[in-house]
Amino acid sequence: MRFLHTSDWHLGRSFHRVSLLDAQAAFLDHLVAVVAERGVEAVLVAGDVYDRAVPPLAAVELFDRALHRLGALGVPVVMISGNHDSARRLGVGAGLLDRAGVHLRTDPAGVGEPVLLRDTAGDVACYGLPYLEPALVREEFATPRGGHTAVLSAAMDRVRADLAARPAGTRSVVLAHAFVTGGEASDSERDITVGGVASVPAGVFAGVDYVALGHLHGCQTLAERVRYSGSPLAYSFSEASHRKSTWLVDLDAAGGITAERVAAPVPRALARLRGRLADLLADPALTPHEAAWVEATLTDAARPHEPMARLAERFPHVVSLAFAPDPADGTGDAAASYAARLRGRDDREIAEDFVAHVRPGTAATADERAVLHAAFDAVRAADAREEKAR
């Protein structure tokens, strides 16, 4: 059976306030074409269909058109909700859509109930594990303690129990939305850390033939049978080096896997430029970036006059501007912006640094770190409960 594994569409998302709807529409055109031209027998979408719980109407219409086009090809779609999606909203009408070959798996209680697909070699059981927020699903999985590893392990126990009861030779696929150990993150994924621990070991998914992961935006192979497709578009400049793609996966009669990356269309290249303003405006080597989306970091000792407007004359798609004066000019680290000093640090690290700052010479103790972590987890869980109740 041939699958197309994709995830993290984030329909409705912008790139530095520039709408990406046209680029997302172009990707979905590409996806439908790949399905038709490459003999794809099922499409796997591993979460984060939308960029937010209440997506704009244009994003919903884009999603609707894509499902109609895939339905017209007679190709089933198996889809789970991610941490950006509202599981309840995405799952509306799931029972009816099942009959049309669109299988939405958004309810944690259904993780052990597969979508059964069939080819000449027999059944393929596709299990959908939607994003499992530990604070909201502990009761369902009877895991009073622990974070993502605990709830995903419990969910996979249900998958393996169901699979064990099926005829010998039944092949298996799991869709999951999680941060798996060994994966490389970027700046554009929403933090799902619980208790200071975000990742789960790949061994949690042992016992199935293929694991189609979503959440991380870079296409990655964690093991032959465990892969991230990544997002189809770059959603931050940290993804400038990514080669966006989907996985075309062949599952043979014995459960063997072969996988091919299918490149996604690139609406506009990304470029990260750094240097003095005058140099950026004059350097002929930067000519290839004039059509790119540009992130410029200026190293001038003093802020130039109207730098964004001047950059835009050469780089009309410049969307991000930062200042990092060169220490060689005598400005030193003190001139670095507050945002630059915090870049790459999560909320917990910033809070711990604040404790050390206001209490010089004494870092946060283990007990204090535990209190800070618990407070952040409680806020995130409260946000998730509020969204679920909407």
Side-chain angles (χ1 to χ4, degrees), residues 11-14 18-27 56 58-60 62 233:
L11 299 180
R13 187 162 185 157
S14 297
V18 177
S19 173
L20 291 175
L21 275 173
D22 288 346
Q24 291 171 335
F27 165 72
V60 177
L62 192 57
L233 299 170

Side-chain angles (χ1 to χ4, degrees), residues 6-13 20-29 31-32 43-72 75-82 85-94 97-98 100-106:
T6 178
S7 73
D8 295 274
W9 294 354
H10 289 278
L11 299 180
R13 187 162 185 157
L20 291 175
L21 275 173
D22 288 346
Q24 291 171 335
F27 165 72
L28 292 175
D29 289 344
L31 182 143
V32 171
V43 176
L44 312 178
V45 187
D48 281 354
V49 176
Y50 294 117
D51 189 55
R52 56 181 186 266
V54 184
L57 180 59
V60 177
E61 291 172 342
L62 192 57
F63 175 66
D64 182 62
R65 289 198 299 272
L67 292 188
H68 275 83
R69 294 169 70 188
L70 291 169
V75 175
V77 179
V78 184
M79 179 178 294
I80 61 173
S81 49
D85 298 310
S86 166
R88 293 178 65 186
R89 288 188 177 86
L90 187 62
V92 168
L97 288 170
D98 263 343
V102 177
H103 308 284
L104 296 171
R105 292 297 181 260
T106 63

Side-chain angles (χ1 to χ4, degrees), residues 211-371:
V211 182
L213 293 173
H215 179 58
L216 298 185
H217 288 182
C219 183
Q220 302 170 60
T221 300
L222 304 187
E224 181 187 7
R225 299 180 184 275
V226 183
R227 299 171 187 258
Y228 282 101
S229 65
S231 61
L233 299 170
Y235 292 121
S236 73
F237 278 100
S238 66
E239 301 170 53
S241 64
H242 288 189
R243 181 165 68 90
K244 297 301 185 180
S245 58
T246 53
W247 284 112
L248 192 66
V249 180
D250 288 313
L251 179 64
D252 68 24
I257 290 289
T258 58
E260 172 192 346
R261 286 182 71 176
V262 179
V266 179
R268 191 176 299 282
L270 272 60
R272 308 183 90 169
L273 309 182
R274 183 184 183 92
R276 293 177 174 82
L277 177 60
D279 295 336
L280 297 184
L281 295 177
D283 188 350
L286 301 183
T287 299
H289 302 309
E290 290 176 356
W293 274 318
V294 168
E295 175 192 69
T297 300
L298 300 184
T299 60
D300 300 75
R303 294 199 180 198
H305 178 63
E306 295 186 340
M308 196 67 161
R310 293 166 66 187
L311 282 167
E313 292 178 2
R314 182 179 188 189
F315 306 103
H317 304 287
V318 60
V319 293
S320 178
L321 179 62
F323 297 91
D326 190 339
D329 292 328
T331 54
D333 293 339
S337 70
Y338 181 69
R341 294 198 302 272
L342 299 185
R343 188 172 296 125
R345 305 185 67 76
D346 63 28
D347 291 342
R348 291 167 180 79
E349 292 172 322
I350 293 168
E352 291 173 16
D353 286 349
F354 177 75
V355 172
H357 174 72
V358 298
R359 196 173 58 195
T362 306
T365 66
D367 288 343
E368 289 169 337
R369 289 197 300 273
V371 169

Side-chain angles (χ1 to χ4, degrees), residues 23 47 76 127 150 160 194 214 223 247 263 311 336 347 360 373:
Y127 299 89
R160 284 185 283 264
V194 174
W247 284 112
L311 282 167
D347 291 342
H373 293 181

